[in-house]
Amino acid sequence: MFAVHLLAFYFTKLKEDQIKKVDRFLYHMRLSDDILLDVMTRFQAEMVKGLERDAHPTAAVKMLPTFVRSIPDGSEKGDFLALDLGGSKFRVLKVKVSEDGKQNVQMESQFYPTPKEITHGNGTELFDYVADCLADFMETKNIKHKKFPLGFTFSFPCIQTKLEEGVLLSWTKYFKVRGVQETDVTSSLRHALRKRKDVDVDVLALVNDTVGTMMTCGYDDQRCEVGIIIGTGTNACYMEEMRHIDLVEGDEGRMCINTEWGAFGDDGSLDDLRTEFDREIDLGSINPGKQLFEKMISGLYLGELVRLILLKMAKKGLLFSGKISAALRTKDKIETKHVAAMEKHKEGLQNTKEILMELGLTPSEEDCIAVQHVCTIVSFRSANLCAAALAAILTRLRENKKLIRLRTTVGIDGTLYKTHPQYPKRLHKVVRRLVPNCDVRFLLSESGSGKGAAMVTAVACRLVSQRKQIDEILASFELSKENLIEVKNKMRGELEYGLKKETHATATVKMLPTYVCGTPDGTEKGKFLALDLGGTNFRVLLVKIRSGRRKSVRMYNKIFAIPLEIMQGTGEELFDHIVQCIAEFLEYMGIKGACLPLGFTFSFPCRQASIDKGALVEWTKGFKATDCEGEDVVDMLREAIKRRNEFDLDIVAVVNDTVGTMMTCGYEDPNCEIGFIAGTGSNVCYMEEMKNIEIVEGTEGKMCINTEWGGFGDNGCIDSIRTKYDKEVDEGSLNPGKQRYEKMTSGMYLGEIVRQILIDLTKHGLLFRGQISESLRTRGIFETKFLSHIESDRLALLQVRRILQQLGLDSTCDDSIIVKEVCGAVSKRAAHLCGAGLAAIVEKKRENRNLEHLKITVGVDGTLYKLHPHFSGILRETVKEMAPQCDVTFMLSEDGSGKGAALITAVAKRLHNVGEN
């Protein structure tokens, strides 16, 4: 028993001594966590360089855009061919992807050799050989009669400008084909295929093997956004935010970046970590000075690294009693498969002995232990370096997503990773140590790069098909110049109908006289009360107007809510609530006893008989209070004040908010004769010549006309440009068939149009994985303010996803892009339509004055105009294009509806006093 213990102790001591000996000799190959964190930081810096336009040409890590913008979503289907060129064998595959309730991929493949005369020949021979192999495969499978989409896995660094194009930068591994560098490899492949005439394929995608690996794993796990190859060569790819890729136009969504990390260190950034053995490997390679990181890691070089170390140790007398065999002196006699065999857990030492003996050596037990440890250090360094670069990628992904903790999947392939017994475990362990805030799943790719090329092609086919469907849906929102001219002309016709006595009653654009007969002239002064009712909030204001050289307007206001039950209750309840709010304001301001002149901004269509009389034509914007339509709202307000019996007010004017906007801007700019609201609702007013207003007595001077243009189209005159989504929104509204133009242009409805489109796209499987969530079914969930947020140029796609998630819509990056497009199409059409309508009005003003050229100001208010990032710009451009003889200035109204009501009251008082005098 003692002898057994003594033997075990001797063997352990022997092993320790040999390990220490090797550790001392290979001290520089053992990398601490601090060194790995430093490598990680260096690689992060190299990634940034590769992505930046200016630094890219000199960057070692090329960070090549692949034009793969989407990972599989599980809905891909069809038959595809794939070619896989890049390793010791060339492979042709037929891949059938089916989506019959469950994801299913069936593959048939054939391997073909890549002899040296092909890998070291010329480009024509290489691509003719590839075409011959493809033809042979199709012949064997009896599929030559059918046309197939094809994906080409080409495992060498290429600069791509499209998914289906790629210019070879340089050969790597053992390939050295003449006349291919700096040419488009897919063009060469197509040329070779055309020569054959018996093969009908459509080359849709050129894919790096690393990308193929990511896509293969992405089909099984949609969290997969990184692909790694650790085999003959090594490389990584990952999904990068488009906004960070300077080399590609656009900043929406993501794109897969092929890092080509094998060249990390080619600029000298890893020189302090490279050993004499690394330098010797490099000098003896077919591409000295290139792919230095790859030469420290990949399967093509590990066996040779081990051989060089053993040779040096033997020369120093540290191994084999200083004896060196001819085989040990011969390049590539030790391969990576030997390294893997020597590191096996149980039979490793026996394998080591056998391999060394095959090399003509007579190893002792100590030699075998030492050699095994050399293999461990070399392969462990490889795993460490891979882990550091991967940790840099994972950190970048986490920071891109602004997450505290990242959960992701890494698709992985390559013979070294697959066949080395310890490699996966070591890699995983080090990655988790370097990035503890990343939960990483490592997914081994099954039949990776070839299947991956087919998956990229399948995704490309899906995206083309989806794009076509999306474009067809959004095309109905595109308005041509001819459409807009037709809208302008029809609007012009409706304006005339509304002004004429015989057609006024049936006109859809009501052209309501406001009895506002002048704009401010700067002499207005005094204290005025103003009320502002037009949305879910009601405001009461005290406005102090000062005239003279130091003219000014000061305002004090308080906002009160109008609950839904009041909006849709009885008229008496609504006006009692308004008076209650006024009483609170007067109390708050300490002016309950004062009988001040009051202007009432009432933002609903009213038929006025005088400036202080207005009968409500119909409710809009969600109001439905009973016993109001047809009634004089000023009388209803006076009755409510009487019922309250606490104070009295001098109601001078009832005003539409659009008129208030015009008056506010008119106070600053006498050239302002048009008011435009683009907010919850949409409307325009303008100063019309009295001689054109047949429904009002008198022909002298001007009067402001409240067009109430929201009703434009209620007679069906714009049905040709209304979409099925407009009709759905109209049918679901409180006033079906009414305010059709407003429902295509105003803030109250745009979000609802977007929601209807999103439902339709989801039904077609184009959004949200085809799942219509409860929240998407909820009317009104997609408020128009979200359009403004989503379309903001400053908002990254990640924030768009966040907005959608807040709405209960679990979106992918691709979903977010589509939602943004939908929002853009809907808001752009709204701006075009408003622009065409405004052009009709400014043209009318020009013709009224018999001018060749009109210069005029439009006062504007409303949240859609103020807050939407593109609405105002598109609107202005449309007016300019539709009314080229009019020079239109848009002036933003500051608090139009409240201040405007006070100014109208002041102007009315001034004109009344002039009349009396």
Side-chain angles (χ1 to χ4, degrees):
M1 190 68 182
F2 175 71
V4 171
H5 281 300
L6 193 62
L7 189 63
F9 173 76
Y10 166 74
F11 188 75
T12 305
K13 189 81 176 70
L14 177 71
K15 195 170 182 180
E16 279 176 7
D17 289 345
Q18 295 309 309
I19 287 171
K20 281 177 185 171
K21 175 174 74 176
V22 173
D23 283 346
R24 280 194 300 274
F25 189 74
L26 297 179
Y27 173 76
H28 288 296
M29 280 192 162
R30 294 172 58 79
L31 306 176
S32 67
D33 279 3
D34 285 344
I35 291 171
L36 294 178
L37 288 167
D38 183 44
V39 171
M40 184 175 149
T41 305
R42 293 185 210 183
F43 189 70
Q44 282 174 307
E46 290 296 322
M47 288 168 80
V48 172
K49 265 194 218 169
L51 290 170
E52 286 176 352
R53 191 186 301 279
D54 295 339
H56 177 83
T58 58
V61 180
K62 282 298 176 197
M63 303 295 283
L64 302 171
T66 65
F67 293 82
V68 171
R69 296 171 186 265
S70 179
I71 56 173
D73 70 356
S75 67
E76 292 76 16
K77 55 188 173 189
D79 292 319
F80 307 92
L81 288 175
L83 306 176
D84 186 1
L85 179 69
S88 52
K89 288 178 181 173
F90 166 61
R91 189 158 65 133
V92 184
L93 305 93
K94 177 178 174 285
V95 181
K96 185 181 184 66
V97 185
S98 54
E99 186 223 2
D100 46 359
K102 60 180 190 294
Q103 292 167 231
N104 191 12
V105 179
Q106 295 168 301
M107 289 194 305
E108 301 172 73
S109 70
Q110 174 74 45
F111 283 98
Y112 295 89
T114 48
K116 193 163 184 181
E117 58 267 25
I118 293 296
T119 61
H120 284 68
N122 66 51
T124 304
E125 290 165 349
L126 171 67
F127 289 105
D128 283 350
Y129 178 71
V130 167
D132 291 346
C133 294
L134 176 61
D136 176 74
F137 178 81
M138 292 178 79
E139 183 80 52
T140 308
K141 301 296 176 190
N142 195 26
I143 53 172
K144 268 194 174 174
H145 59 281
K146 191 179 170 190
K147 183 169 184 170
F148 284 89
L150 180 139
F152 183 17
T153 297
F154 187 73
S155 310
F156 306 95
C158 288
I159 287 185
Q160 289 186 256
T161 49
K162 294 179 185 171
L163 180 61
E164 69 279 12
E165 285 179 12
V167 173
L168 177 66
L169 279 177
S170 60
W171 289 110
T172 57
K173 292 167 271 201
Y174 48 81
F175 276 69
K176 197 95 172 175
V177 183
R178 297 183 301 280
V180 182
Q181 265 179 256
E182 297 179 10
T183 66
D184 176 13
V185 293
T186 47
S187 178
S188 301
L189 175 62
R190 285 191 189 105
H191 182 68
L193 291 167
R194 274 197 300 272
K195 281 195 287 188
R196 287 203 57 93
K197 298 198 184 328
D198 61 341
V199 172
D200 190 9
V201 296
D202 192 2
V203 183
L204 290 184
L206 178 73
V207 185
N208 183 278
D209 55 346
T210 323
V211 181
T213 296
M214 183 188 78
M215 295 298 272
T216 300
C217 295
Y219 186 70
D220 298 318
D221 180 348
Q222 283 165 24
R223 284 188 185 277
C224 183
E225 49 192 343
V226 182
I228 295 190
I229 300 275
I230 311 169
T232 310
T234 184
N235 194 14
C237 69
Y238 73 102
M239 296 301 288
E240 177 60 88
E241 302 293 321
M242 279 288 290
R243 67 182 187 276
H244 296 149
I245 309 170
D246 286 356
L247 302 172
V248 180
E249 287 299 313
D251 58 2
E252 298 300 335
R254 302 198 299 170
M255 183 182 284
C256 181
I257 290 290
N258 166 20
T259 65
E260 286 298 336
W261 77 7
F264 178 33
D266 287 6
D267 57 357
S269 60
L270 292 178
D271 281 1
D272 57 325
L273 298 179
R274 292 174 68 227
T275 66
E276 60 180 292
F277 309 110
D278 297 311
R279 284 189 273 277
E280 198 171 337
I281 283 266
D282 179 44
L283 288 171
S285 69
I286 59 170
N287 55 350
K290 303 276 178 70
Q291 300 295 105
L292 299 183
F293 190 60
E294 182 171 76
K295 287 167 185 169
M296 297 165 84
I297 288 172
S298 78
L300 191 60
Y301 305 101
L302 289 197
E304 182 61 5
L305 263 176
V306 168
R307 186 189 72 81
L308 290 173
I309 293 164
L310 300 187
L311 183 61
K312 177 90 181 269
M313 289 182 78
K315 281 178 180 176
K316 284 186 172 287
L318 298 171
L319 284 176
F320 319 127
S321 307
K323 290 175 183 163
I324 301 168
S325 66
L328 191 60
R329 294 182 190 276
T330 307
K331 190 181 174 190
D332 294 331
K333 273 294 180 181
I334 298 179
E335 296 173 36
T336 299
K337 66 179 180 183
H338 298 134
V339 176
M342 289 191 271
E343 283 195 72
K344 281 196 173 170
H345 181 55
K346 286 184 179 170
E347 61 267 41
L349 277 175
Q350 183 57 36
N351 291 343
T352 305
K353 188 174 184 179
E354 288 169 11
I355 289 163
L356 293 173
M357 287 172 75
E358 282 169 19
L359 291 171
L361 297 163
T362 313
S364 65
E365 198 74 47
E366 295 98 312
D367 290 335
C368 292
I369 292 166
V371 169
Q372 189 183 46
H373 194 54
V374 167
C375 293
T376 299
I377 287 176
V378 168
S379 62
F380 216 131
R381 184 187 68 157
S382 165
N384 276 336
L385 289 170
C386 256
L390 176 56
I393 289 173
L394 295 171
T395 301
R396 185 167 180 87
L397 280 173
R398 186 180 61 77
E399 288 172 356
N400 280 350
K401 295 181 181 186
K402 296 182 168 59
L403 296 173
I404 294 166
R405 191 165 195 87
L406 173 74
R407 187 177 168 202
T408 193
T409 297
V410 173
I412 198 157
D413 201 356
T415 48
L416 180 56
Y417 182 88
K418 282 181 177 176
T419 60
H420 191 290
Q422 314 298 332
Y423 203 99
K425 188 169 64 183
R426 289 170 185 165
L427 178 76
H428 303 173
K429 196 172 177 181
V430 178
V431 167
R432 287 175 180 135
R433 212 164 60 230
L434 294 177
V435 278
N437 47 6
C438 297
D439 298 321
V440 188
R441 179 191 180 204
F442 289 88
L443 183 59
L444 188 62
S445 165
E446 298 299 328
S447 47
S449 48
K451 178 180 168 184
M455 291 316 307
V456 172
T457 310
V459 169
C461 288
R462 167 174 64 81
L463 292 177
V464 166
S465 166
Q466 286 180 350
R467 184 73 261 163
K468 194 176 169 192
Q469 292 178 72
I470 291 162
D471 286 347
E472 280 170 8
I473 287 168
L474 296 186
S476 60
F477 288 86
E478 276 291 325
L479 299 177
S480 65
K481 189 174 180 181
E482 290 70 31
N483 291 146
L484 293 173
I485 290 168
E486 191 182 352
V487 169
K488 181 183 87 168
N489 294 339
K490 284 181 175 174
M491 177 67 85
R492 181 67 192 272
E494 292 295 319
L495 298 177
E496 301 296 350
Y497 289 149
L499 290 171
K500 291 193 184 327
K501 193 173 276 185
E502 68 270 21
T503 50
H504 176 79
T506 56
T508 57
V509 180
K510 287 297 175 197
M511 304 298 282
L512 303 172
T514 65
Y515 295 85
V516 172
C517 296
T519 52
D521 66 0
T523 64
E524 295 78 15
K525 61 182 179 181
K527 289 182 184 178
F528 304 89
L529 275 179
L531 310 179
D532 181 9
L533 179 70
T536 51
N537 288 330
F538 168 63
R539 278 192 316 156
V540 187
L541 305 93
L542 174 65
V543 183
K544 295 179 181 178
I545 303 174
R546 206 165 139 180
S547 62
R549 271 186 14 208
R550 296 175 64 193
K551 70 173 189 175
S552 66
V553 178
R554 290 173 68 192
M555 292 186 294
Y556 310 87
N557 72 79
K558 200 162 187 202
I559 297 171
F560 301 89
I562 306 275
L564 188 64
E565 61 271 20
I566 298 287
M567 285 168 67
Q568 298 180 9
T570 66
E572 200 169 284
E573 287 168 340
L574 174 63
F575 281 92
D576 283 347
H577 180 75
I578 287 169
V579 171
Q580 165 72 30
C581 297
I582 296 169
E584 284 184 35
F585 179 77
L586 296 175
E587 188 80 52
Y588 172 72
M589 294 300 296
I591 52 171
K592 209 163 190 179
C595 185
L596 296 172
L598 180 142
F600 183 13
T601 298
F602 187 75
S603 307
F604 304 93
C606 283
R607 203 173 299 285
Q608 288 186 253
S610 65
I611 197 164
D612 65 344
K613 289 201 171 298
L616 175 64
V617 176
E618 62 185 343
W619 285 116
T620 57
K621 295 181 271 196
F623 276 73
K624 267 290 191 191
T626 57
D627 308 320
C628 293
E629 291 180 2
E631 299 297 321
D632 184 346
V633 294
V634 176
D635 285 346
M636 292 183 82
L637 179 59
R638 284 185 177 130
E639 289 298 321
I641 290 169
K642 272 186 198 165
R643 280 197 298 277
R644 181 99 185 173
N645 197 25
E646 280 183 21
F647 52 84
D648 199 13
L649 297 170
D650 175 17
I651 305 171
V652 174
V654 62
V655 186
N656 181 277
D657 55 346
T658 324
V659 183
T661 294
M662 182 188 76
M663 295 298 271
T664 301
C665 294
Y667 185 70
E668 305 293 335
D669 179 353
N671 214 22
C672 181
E673 290 199 351
I674 300 174
F676 169 50
I677 298 274
T680 310
S682 177
N683 196 14
V684 163
C685 71
Y686 71 103
M687 295 302 288
E688 179 60 272
E689 305 297 319
M690 280 292 288
K691 64 179 186 282
N692 295 333
I693 310 170
E694 294 183 7
I695 48 179
V696 177
E697 291 297 314
T699 57
E700 293 302 314
K702 296 179 190 176
M703 183 185 286
C704 180
I705 291 291
N706 166 20
T707 66
E708 286 299 336
W709 79 355
F712 175 47
D714 288 1
N715 58 0
C717 70
I718 54 170
D719 277 4
S720 61
I721 59 167
R722 287 176 76 227
T723 66
K724 65 175 183 175
Y725 309 107
D726 297 308
K727 288 167 189 165
E728 281 164 2
V729 168
D730 179 38
E731 284 160 16
S733 69
L734 288 169
N735 54 351
K738 304 263 179 84
Q739 300 293 105
R740 288 181 177 178
Y741 184 65
E742 182 171 76
K743 285 169 186 169
M744 296 165 82
T745 56
S746 79
M748 185 156 183
Y749 301 100
L750 298 191
E752 189 57 16
I753 295 170
V754 167
R755 188 182 72 87
Q756 292 294 345
I757 299 168
L758 299 187
I759 287 173
D760 198 29
L761 289 171
T762 308
K763 280 179 184 169
H764 283 88
L766 303 170
L767 265 185
F768 310 132
R769 301 177 183 89
Q771 304 295 312
I772 301 177
S773 64
E774 255 332 290
S775 55
L776 195 56
R777 294 180 203 277
T778 309
R779 186 176 299 281
I781 182 160
F782 212 96
E783 294 172 47
T784 298
K785 69 177 181 183
F786 294 128
L787 270 74
S788 299
H789 295 330
I790 285 168
E791 287 188 68
S792 168
D793 295 329
R794 295 190 306 275
L795 208 63
L797 223 55
L798 205 63
Q799 290 159 294
V800 174
R801 281 182 77 184
R802 213 157 279 156
I803 290 169
L804 294 174
Q805 279 160 359
Q806 284 166 9
L807 294 171
L809 304 170
D810 184 21
S811 69
T812 63
C813 211
D814 294 332
D815 290 340
S816 303
I817 294 171
I818 295 167
V819 170
K820 195 166 184 174
E821 270 188 78
V822 170
C823 292
V826 171
S827 61
K828 183 180 174 186
R829 185 191 66 164
H832 278 318
L833 285 171
C834 285
L838 263 177
I841 287 172
V842 296
E843 278 290 311
K844 184 171 189 351
K845 290 286 294 177
R846 185 181 66 79
E847 289 171 22
N848 280 353
R849 295 193 200 171
N850 293 316
L851 293 172
E852 187 67 35
H853 192 88
L854 173 73
K855 192 167 185 181
I856 196 164
T857 299
V858 177
V860 196
D861 203 353
T863 49
L864 186 58
Y865 185 92
K866 283 179 174 176
L867 302 180
H868 191 282
H870 308 301
F871 184 93
S872 59
I874 297 167
L875 173 91
R876 288 195 298 268
E877 282 302 311
T878 309
V879 173
K880 194 175 178 180
E881 188 181 12
M882 294 289 110
Q885 290 167 274
C886 301
D887 180 4
V888 184
T889 302
F890 288 84
M891 183 178 187
L892 202 56
S893 162
E894 294 304 322
D895 194 34
S897 47
K899 182 174 166 183
L903 284 165
I904 290 165
T905 307
V907 170
K909 278 286 188 189
R910 171 171 61 80
L911 295 175
H912 179 69
N913 293 340
V914 169
E916 279 187 345
N917 292 335

